Amino acid sequence: MFSSRVPADLGLNRLSAAVQAHCATGRRLIDLTATNPTIVGIHYPTDLLTPLADRGAVTYRPEPFGLIAAREAVVADYARRGISVAVDRVVLTASTSEAYSLLFKLLCAPSGDDVLTPAPSYPLFDHLTKLDGVASRPYALEYHGRWELDELSVDAAWTRQTRGVLAVTPNNPTGSMLSSAELDALSSRCAARAAALIVDEVFADYPLGDVPAFGSSSKALTFRLGGLSKSAGLPQVKLGWIAVNGPDDLVRAALDRLELVCDTYLSVGTPVQVAAPALIERGARVREQIQQRIRTNYDILCAQAVANPSVQVLPVDGGWSAVLRVPSRHSEEDTVVSLLETRDTLVHPGFFFDFPSEAFLVVSLLPESVEFAEGVAHVMELASG
Ligand SMILES: Cc1ncc(COP(=O)(O)O)c(C=O)c1O
């Protein structure tokens, strides 16, 4: 899981060993890496999952792209965000991670084809690409007061076997959103070079500022990814989706081939498809609590940073995480281990997400706010000391 900058047997193993050693002490852990919404004190209504027991799920009606009522519910959910999507261009998946795998199968041959992935970003991409025999080539997001797309690095990473570009907005962990112009720059390149654009919008429901427009029309074959895991705080339910967009001929050809891939697995369970309209609707109650949690914790973080000028909180456009730039007197690894050993607080080092330089720490904005404030105070103490 750790980045290529860290020898496999060094950073990760030392941190894993430190976490294990901490667990063995039995001391309380303030876990500022927690990203599982179901265990951070969010209230899940007791009847939330009853739609999964609907009698309608007793009959199996295999549909490669999913039951139409579930896909219509996804269309309605896009409409809630002001985005127009046609139901025949919506494909259900078991998760966003699975959506990536389906798309890699669709777009890439396992013989040297590659996709471009942002850095810093979500470490799972390394595994997802490798498991499908696809090479992953990083392009850079650079921090200049905001995280900007480095277009030169996109061009430098591009090869004759590049079949797709992944964009994550809001990005995990930088919390940055691509501007309309940046998305357009990626889309234009993909259109000109016969590649597809994959836009991961799983955190789209968690903006902390203005949301840049990403139009319903696109020059390139485009796949937008979303799912209940983040939009309704329901990672255990296993429902994701892909909305396909772009020039009609490319969309039609892609859907034809994608149908075969989906039909081969038929991985989305009938109960979750039957329940999808109700789950999407009821999920709003969970989402609103998570939105509130994120805002409260981000405010706590910024307030504590004001009192500790040696720590800088990088601005967050949206998502569930925030980045702190801390003094680089010590390595990220030493800082993280020291926080754990001396203050029972766990954060992620920047190198976990391929930050280009040190010293950055990444905190989840999901933990319960009292605990979050305590953990952040420990980070500030250590970083300022
Ligand atoms: C940016 C991003 N995309 C996708 C996923 C995976 O989502 P899912 O649970 O739908 O597979 C994650 C999980 O944290 C994520 O951070």
Side-chain angles (χ1 to χ4, degrees):
M1 273 278 190
F2 276 72
S3 86
S4 46
R5 285 202 291 122
V6 180
D9 56 344
L10 279 182
L12 225 194
N13 285 356
R14 184 169 167 223
L15 293 188
S16 310
V19 172
Q20 274 175 19
H22 187 278
C23 288
T25 66
R27 293 205 305 267
R28 176 172 83 111
L29 177 69
I30 302 179
D31 187 358
L32 300 188
T33 68
T35 51
N36 177 350
T38 65
I39 54 168
V40 289
I42 299 291
H43 173 66
Y44 285 76
T46 43
D47 63 350
L48 183 66
L49 298 185
T50 49
L52 285 168
D54 192 293
R55 282 283 306 160
V58 169
T59 308
Y60 182 38
R61 284 169 286 140
E63 290 284 350
F65 290 160
L67 297 178
I68 198 73
R71 293 159 69 200
E72 279 167 356
V74 171
V75 169
D77 201 52
Y78 273 109
R80 170 181 64 80
R81 293 200 282 125
I83 298 163
S84 162
V85 174
V87 70
D88 58 354
R89 293 179 171 207
V90 169
V91 177
L92 301 187
T93 65
S95 65
T96 317
S97 310
E98 192 203 40
Y100 278 114
S101 176
L102 298 173
L103 293 177
F104 295 154
K105 288 173 178 50
L106 172 77
L107 300 170
C108 304
S111 54
D113 280 357
D114 63 67
V115 293
L116 308 192
T117 53
S121 196
Y122 181 48
L124 200 66
F125 290 144
D126 280 349
H127 299 280
L128 289 172
T129 47
K130 279 195 189 111
L131 286 171
D132 272 294
V134 172
S136 151
R137 297 178 56 79
Y139 66 88
L141 300 175
E142 280 195 350
Y143 186 72
H144 303 292
R146 71 172 281 274
W147 290 94
E148 289 174 9
L149 172 71
D150 177 358
E151 293 187 30
L152 291 179
S153 77
V154 175
D155 292 333
W158 211 291
T159 73
R160 286 180 17 201
Q161 285 186 274
T162 298
R163 304 289 174 243
V165 176
L166 276 52
V168 188
T169 182
N171 188 35
N172 174 8
T174 57
S176 54
M177 288 193 203
L178 290 169
S179 67
S180 308
E182 288 169 328
L183 278 166
D184 203 48
L186 291 178
S187 182
S188 304
R189 280 174 173 77
C190 289
R193 302 171 191 177
L197 180 61
I198 301 174
V199 186
D200 181 331
E201 301 177 301
V202 294
F203 291 112
D205 281 304
Y206 302 95
L208 283 166
D210 296 339
V211 179
F214 177 34
S216 296
S217 66
S218 171
K219 296 177 192 139
L221 177 62
T222 302
F223 301 93
R224 301 174 77 147
L225 310 187
L228 287 189
S229 161
K230 308 291 186 287
S231 74
L234 291 172
Q236 75 280 39
V237 165
K238 295 288 156 203
L239 184 68
W241 49 80
I242 305 170
V244 191
N245 192 4
D248 283 342
D249 53 337
L250 295 183
V251 170
R252 261 195 306 274
L255 285 172
D256 280 352
R257 286 182 296 126
L258 195 53
E259 186 166 1
L260 175 66
V261 182
C262 293
D263 200 26
T264 305
Y265 293 99
L266 292 168
S267 55
V268 191
T270 303
V272 74
Q273 294 190 53
V274 170
L279 291 178
I280 289 174
E281 195 209 311
R282 293 173 183 207
R285 284 183 264 167
V286 177
R287 177 170 58 246
E288 282 154 17
Q289 293 175 68
I290 300 177
Q291 286 167 336
Q292 189 54 50
R293 176 71 60 82
I294 301 292
R295 281 189 215 110
T296 304
N297 285 354
Y298 185 56
D299 288 348
I300 289 172
L301 187 61
C302 293
Q304 290 206 22
V306 169
N308 292 276
S310 56
V311 176
Q312 184 194 1
V313 177
L314 273 45
V316 177
D317 298 328
W320 290 4
S321 54
V323 177
L324 312 184
R325 198 204 297 257
V326 295
S328 52
R329 283 188 295 270
H330 307 286
S331 71
E332 287 172 355
E333 187 184 298
D334 284 346
T335 303
V336 172
V337 170
S338 173
L339 258 175
L340 188 59
E341 289 177 351
T342 65
R343 290 168 174 84
D344 300 328
T345 300
L346 182 63
V347 300
H348 275 312
F351 69 73
F352 184 83
F353 301 93
D354 269 329
F355 277 69
S357 61
E358 300 222 355
F360 295 95
L361 302 177
V362 174
V363 294
S364 165
L365 295 172
L366 271 192
E368 295 205 49
S369 297
V370 172
E371 187 171 85
F372 180 82
E374 200 182 340
V376 168
H378 292 162
V379 176
M380 299 290 170
E381 254 167 50
L382 190 88
S384 312

